[in-house]
Amino acid sequence: MSQHAKQLYDALVTLSHHFSTTCCESSHCEEFTLIDYLALRSIQNQPECSVQTVGQSLGFTKSGATRVIKRLQARNMISICVNPDDSRIKCLSLTELAENCLQSVVSIQEKRMDKLLKKMEPETAKQLTQGLQTLVQQLK
């Protein structure tokens, strides 16, 4: 790995950890892992999606995704129903609690990011945003 790639990787891991450790200020939302957050976001973006779809979005096997789903269901974050077209498929949807928690996380993290970006020169903040968006596009 080149030194530049190593530095960027280390920075991204540090940022991921920093921004995944604070859930929300609301007392009804307990902390949850980055994996839980990504699973909830996946379900939010694809209402009534399947366990397999969540697994694909996380890069997990179906059994790995099932463990995440069961953990979220036990916390009343998701509801599970049977697909009316194929009873073998379980459809997942977010509960109101999960929707509120996700909104809280986004709100808190946006405020944190805004404070950090305001400490930078406007052009630097713009370049950082564009660079990270370009990097994310390369993942697809």
Side-chain angles (χ1 to χ4, degrees):
M1 180 184 309
S2 72
Q3 187 63 22
H4 185 72
K6 182 180 180 338
Q7 290 173 339
L8 181 57
Y9 174 77
D10 287 343
L12 291 172
V13 168
T14 300
L15 286 170
S16 296
H17 174 72
H18 179 77
F19 283 97
S20 69
T21 56
T22 300
C23 170
C24 48
E25 296 167 345
S26 176
S27 61
H28 65 276
C29 294
E30 298 174 21
E31 293 286 325
F32 46 85
T33 67
L34 180 59
I35 295 301
D36 291 347
Y37 173 79
L38 293 173
L40 291 170
R41 196 174 76 171
S42 177
I43 295 167
Q44 185 180 46
N45 291 335
Q46 299 175 40
E48 297 188 10
C49 72
S50 67
V51 174
Q52 188 171 355
T53 301
V54 173
Q56 289 170 346
S57 72
L58 297 174
F60 285 9
T61 62
K62 186 176 179 188
S63 64
T66 298
R67 284 190 297 276
V68 173
I69 296 306
K70 284 183 179 182
R71 184 171 61 237
L72 293 170
Q73 184 184 26
R75 294 180 63 190
N76 298 316
M77 293 284 189
I78 61 169
S79 58
I80 301 175
C81 65
V82 176
N83 184 315
D85 298 326
D86 186 344
S87 62
R88 297 171 296 169
I89 299 173
K90 295 179 180 177
C91 296
L92 310 173
S93 59
L94 298 182
T95 63
E96 186 176 341
L97 172 63
E99 291 281 0
N100 292 339
C101 289
L102 284 177
Q103 182 56 43
S104 182
V105 169
V106 169
S107 177
I108 288 167
Q109 298 297 13
E110 283 177 349
K111 289 174 187 173
R112 290 176 77 192
M113 187 59 69
D114 195 47
K115 286 180 185 177
L116 291 170
L117 291 173
K118 285 180 178 177
K119 292 179 181 180
M120 299 178 189
E121 292 293 323
E123 187 59 31
T124 302
K126 182 179 176 182
Q127 289 173 352
L128 174 63
T129 301
Q130 290 172 339
L132 288 174
Q133 287 173 340
T134 300
L135 184 61
V136 168
Q137 288 172 356
Q138 295 303 309
L139 295 172
K140 298 177 182 177

